[in-house]
Each structure stands twice: as C-alpha cells, then as structure tokens.
Amino acid sequence: MNIRFCWEKITRCALAVVLAFALTLGSPVSALADVRLADLVMGESVEERGLSVAQCPSIDAQFAFVMDTDGNVYFERNSNQETQIASITKVMTAIVALEESTMDTKVVVSEAAAYIGESTAALREGDAMTMDQALVAMLVSSGNDAALAIAETLGEKWKTADQTPVQAFAAKMNEKASSLGMENSLFENSHGLDFDEYAGSLHSTAHDVALMCSHAMKIQAFRDIVKQPTARITVTRDGELTELELESTDKMLEEYEGACGIKTGFTQLAGYSFAGACERNGKTLIGVVINSSSEYQRFTDCEILFDWVFGHEKDYHLINSTQTTTITKNGQELTVPVVASVSHQGWLDKTVLATVEDPDETVHVFDLKGNISQEVVFDKITEDVHVGDKLGTIYFKQHNETVATVKMISCENVNAPNMIEGIVIWFERLWADFSGEKSVADSVLINTTPLLINR
C-alpha cells in the first residue's frame, strides 16, 4: 500500500476524532449527567427500589430536589448536604420583604448598593423606588444592588445597638428560615455573594431551598414577579422618573411549557444553580439543582427533572374486572363490573354480587412510587339486600399509603331467610359445627390491580 496514502488516511481519522471531541465539548448535553444508586425516588434509593437507569432522571447537578407545593417529594440527590446557593438567596430576601413591609415602602440605593458588582439591575447611587419595584429589580435581573438596598432599608428599623441594618435583615431571614423548617441553612446577607468581603458561613441545602421556594410560590405577588421574562421598573433618578428595562436570568420561562420562575444563582462555590417552578394542570412543581456543569446545563437538569415527574404521573383505573352483570338503576338497564362476591351470612351458601357506584373512577399516582394493591373489608350481611346497598369497602394502597377508598354496593336483590328457613339453617349450622363442614359461603374479591411498573 502507498505510504503517502496510509499517512493521509491516518491524518483524516485523527482529524475526525478531534472534531468529534470538539463537538462533544460544545454540546448542551453534559457528559457528567448520570443516575446514582444513592439518588432517592419517593424517599427510597434507586438501588432499594430496584429501578433501572432508564426509569430515573440523568442529571449532572451535585445537589437536587423535586417536590410539589403539596409537599410530595419525588427526587433527591445529596439534598441535605450543606452548600452555597448564591443568588437563590434572594428568594428569602423577597419573602421577608413581602411579609414584613408594604409595597409602597421607599427604597433608596446607597453607594454600597450601587457599587456592589456582579449581577445588577443597573441601579445608581441615590435612585429611589417603591419596594415592589425593588423586588422586580432583584428577582428578574438578579440585582445584587436591589437586594442590598432592600436589606439596608428594612434592616434600618430592625437593627439593635450591636447590629448593622444588613445584619438585622439577615437575622430576619434566619428567623423566617427556622419557621419554615430550614434546619440546615444560614443567611448572612441578602444577595448570596460568598467571596471576598462576603465570605463567611452562609449555606443552605437543596431540601431547604425547595421548602423556601414552595413557600414563596404561595405568595401571589412573588409569583407575579418571577414569571416575567422581561420587566420594566420606574425609579426616581436625579429628580426625574427614569424607566429601566430588565431581562430575566431564568431562560426556562420562554422555552419550557408551564415554567413560571423562580431564581438562578452562580458563584464559584455554588456553581451554576437554579430553583425553578413549573405549573401544569393546576399542579406546581419546585425543582432545585445546585452546582450543575454550565449555565445551560442547570436549566437542562431542571427540565429533565420536571419531564421525569410529569412523565411518570398516571391516571390509574381502580376497577379492573372482566366479570359483568346487568342491573336496573333509576329505570335504566346498565351493564356493570362485578368486583366481589360477598357472603350473605343469613344463608349457608348464598353470596351477593357487588359492584361500585363509579366503575370509571381513577386516581392520579406517581408510578415509580410502587404498584397499586387492594385490601377489602366485607360488611356482615344478614338482612334483606337491595340493589345499591353497601356491602363493604375496597382500600387501594400504594407503598402502604391509602390512595383511594371505594364503596362496594349490591348488584342484586337477595332476601334473608324467613322464619322457617332460619330454623332449618340453624340446625344445619349446628351439624356443620359438629362435623367441621362450612356453614357460610366465602366472600371473594374479583377486582384486580394491574401493575403500574413491571421491573
């Protein structure tokens, strides 16, 4: 083979490898994304649940937490490990400001606030605005200047002899954190900077951030601010009204269905971080990802988590019986499923067919929590039974938690024994007790519970 040809072929192959590697570096999909056996799904590890990689979210954030505003926790990664949270801190600043002041409170930008640096809302020393405008500047464009101005303004009225206004405001933040159950959090400033003059012991956890954000999203004024991809505020500057245009640092707002906030964050210690919210069908999810590998990846991680939760939510049909019967109800003949055969204990061998009032009833569940099981409690039936009479209750459970309760009702009319029949049955039962024979029919549950997940 021609040596020159071989060399050219080797060179082309090498260039192809280099190009592929370069493209990989530029790809928005992080090579660090993974599924860990210690990740928690509904409170149990991936390993304990025996879940496959395909059933779990693959993200590269070092800390993560997903819950809904009803308190259901879906996913955790290192969720109670302390870490810095950067500008996500501003969520607590907003909570304190919204709950401890009025929106017409005057906020004036000090020299320290105007020159704080990093992410700002381009406020200048001497700018004056109302509290609601300051909150927009802080939350939409992640303005450290606005965050410090808010803390200085409100902290002034709370400070003690041995506190600065900023320290007094931080004390209020920690007081609120404690009331929310944020047991592993410490706030030292209103903006989240954690280096140089702001270096200290400030920290939180993914779990605590989720609690904080869940609370914040229940405040309508907060929701109204953080859902804005762009905003305008008006400040008084040099005696004149000046309008400032702001752009949100939350890039999910215009790119992801249902995205409605909340807050980005970045410092070298916190890494690229994001606490996001998404609302679909009346349900709000809170997702926290801390220390992702890039600015883009933090949003990708959060989207993956939201997609995963929504993708594993199911409407589960409770009644699954192939046996049917016909009943007449309100003058209309209906075909209904038979869910059980219930013993009529007035007789030796009679049963009553049972159905349910709503055969199409469903329950909304998260499938990875576990399969649905059922437990039945049969009522003791000794009297006349008519169509629609209660015969017992089926309890549907997922991971030992009752998710639905369904009443069983009679499909048919069955009379109790008359006096003569009752006397005969009494003697037959006496003999059955002596001979060890059955003296009453068995109750049998016919309904089934198909698997949600089949590992």
Side-chain angles (χ1 to χ4, degrees):
M1 181 181 287
N2 186 285
I3 296 176
R4 180 180 177 182
F5 174 77
C6 292
W7 178 249
E8 288 177 349
K9 187 174 181 180
I10 292 170
T11 302
R12 284 197 300 270
C13 290
L15 287 172
V17 170
V18 171
L19 178 60
F21 181 69
L23 288 173
T24 300
L25 290 178
S27 169
V29 179
S30 172
L32 300 177
D34 66 346
V35 174
R36 304 178 186 179
L37 293 178
D39 288 344
L40 299 183
V41 173
M42 281 289 191
E44 290 187 3
S45 72
V46 169
E47 184 174 29
E48 289 169 335
R49 287 191 178 275
L51 299 177
S52 68
V53 169
Q55 291 173 311
C56 304
S58 180
I59 60 172
D60 78 2
Q62 294 304 305
F63 313 92
F65 194 92
V66 184
M67 68 181 292
D68 61 29
T69 48
D70 291 329
N72 298 305
V73 178
Y74 298 93
F75 180 84
E76 300 172 68
R77 172 178 291 179
N78 298 324
S79 64
N80 290 306
Q81 186 173 327
E82 293 177 359
T83 182
Q84 281 70 32
I85 62 171
S87 284
I88 297 175
T89 295
K90 292 165 185 165
V91 175
M92 182 58 78
T93 302
I95 290 172
V96 172
L98 286 163
E99 295 184 349
E100 299 288 344
S101 71
T102 60
M103 292 302 95
D104 60 355
T105 299
K106 184 179 180 181
V107 177
V108 179
V109 179
S110 67
E111 179 182 8
Y115 292 98
I116 189 172
E118 299 299 320
S119 60
T120 71
L123 300 176
R124 297 180 184 176
E125 181 181 357
D127 282 355
M129 71 207 82
T130 55
M131 179 61 71
D132 60 340
Q133 299 289 279
L135 286 168
V136 173
M138 178 182 72
L139 292 172
V140 173
S141 60
S142 196
N144 292 329
D145 43 9
L148 183 53
I150 289 170
E152 290 175 335
T153 297
L154 296 182
E156 183 64 35
K157 65 180 180 179
W158 296 328
K159 69 178 182 180
T160 61
D162 58 346
Q163 284 181 318
T164 65
V166 170
Q167 290 171 333
F169 188 86
K172 279 286 185 181
M173 295 171 73
N174 288 316
E175 182 181 311
K176 185 62 185 180
S178 178
S179 73
L180 293 178
M182 298 170 63
E183 298 180 354
N184 297 302
S185 297
L186 176 65
F187 295 101
E188 294 183 337
N189 60 53
S190 59
H191 41 71
L193 295 178
D194 55 22
F195 53 89
D196 295 339
E197 64 182 292
Y198 302 109
S201 301
L202 64 167
H203 61 265
S204 189
T205 67
H207 167 267
D208 283 5
V209 167
L211 291 182
M212 174 177 70
C213 291
S214 179
H215 178 80
M217 289 299 284
K218 293 174 182 176
I219 305 173
Q220 189 60 48
F222 181 90
R223 291 181 74 108
D224 291 342
I225 293 173
V226 297
K227 71 180 182 182
Q228 302 176 88
T230 60
R232 293 182 178 182
I233 63 169
T234 301
V235 303
T236 301
R237 178 174 290 174
D238 299 326
E240 297 182 356
L241 294 179
T242 302
E243 192 172 79
L244 302 179
E245 294 189 1
L246 307 172
E247 183 176 347
S248 177
T249 57
D250 179 356
K251 301 308 178 186
M252 279 181 63
L253 286 173
E254 295 184 301
E255 299 177 0
Y256 188 76
E257 179 190 353
C260 52
I262 303 173
K263 192 69 198 72
T264 58
F266 174 78
T267 63
Q268 290 296 327
L269 291 176
Y272 292 99
S273 304
F274 180 57
C278 179
E279 183 176 11
R280 292 184 192 171
N281 302 317
K283 177 173 186 167
T284 301
L285 290 180
I286 304 295
V288 178
V289 290
I290 301 174
N291 200 354
S292 287
S293 58
S294 70
E295 180 178 5
Y296 183 88
Q297 186 63 35
R298 61 182 169 183
F299 300 119
T300 299
D301 279 350
C302 200
E303 290 177 9
I304 287 170
L305 290 171
F306 288 158
D307 285 344
W308 174 75
V309 173
F310 287 126
H312 283 282
E313 289 196 319
K314 302 286 188 299
D315 285 322
Y316 184 85
H317 283 272
L318 297 174
I319 306 306
N320 302 277
S321 173
T322 57
Q323 183 175 334
T324 62
T325 190
T326 302
I327 66 171
T328 300
K329 188 175 182 181
N330 299 324
Q332 185 178 11
E333 192 172 89
L334 302 172
T335 299
V336 297
V338 177
V339 299
S341 174
V342 184
S343 172
H344 193 303
Q345 298 186 29
W347 298 94
L348 293 173
D349 56 1
K350 281 192 178 182
T351 58
V352 185
L353 297 181
T355 187
V356 295
E357 292 177 337
D358 180 8
D360 297 321
E361 184 173 353
T362 63
V363 61
H364 198 66
V365 296
F366 184 72
D367 63 7
L368 295 182
K369 186 177 181 181
N371 287 311
I372 302 295
S373 62
Q374 58 184 348
E375 294 179 5
V376 62
V377 175
F378 296 105
D379 290 350
K380 185 175 181 179
I381 310 300
T382 58
E383 303 298 326
D384 291 348
V385 175
H386 304 93
V387 173
D389 287 352
K390 180 175 177 292
L391 299 179
T393 307
I394 305 177
Y395 298 92
F396 294 90
K397 298 189 175 185
Q398 186 182 34
H399 207 63
N400 297 320
E401 177 186 337
T402 299
V403 294
T405 302
V406 175
K407 181 173 68 173
M408 296 188 299
I409 59 175
S410 176
C411 299
E412 55 185 334
N413 298 320
V414 177
N415 292 326
N418 59 33
M419 183 181 295
I420 301 300
E421 292 169 329
I423 294 172
V424 173
I425 290 170
W426 185 86
F427 279 106
E428 289 180 337
R429 282 207 170 116
L430 189 63
W431 171 253
D433 289 342
F434 177 76
S435 63
E437 297 177 4
K438 290 176 62 175
S439 61
V440 67
D442 291 329
S443 292
V444 178
L445 180 63
I446 298 171
N447 189 55
T448 61
T449 50
L451 296 179
L452 271 168
I453 51 175
N454 191 6
R455 298 189 181 94

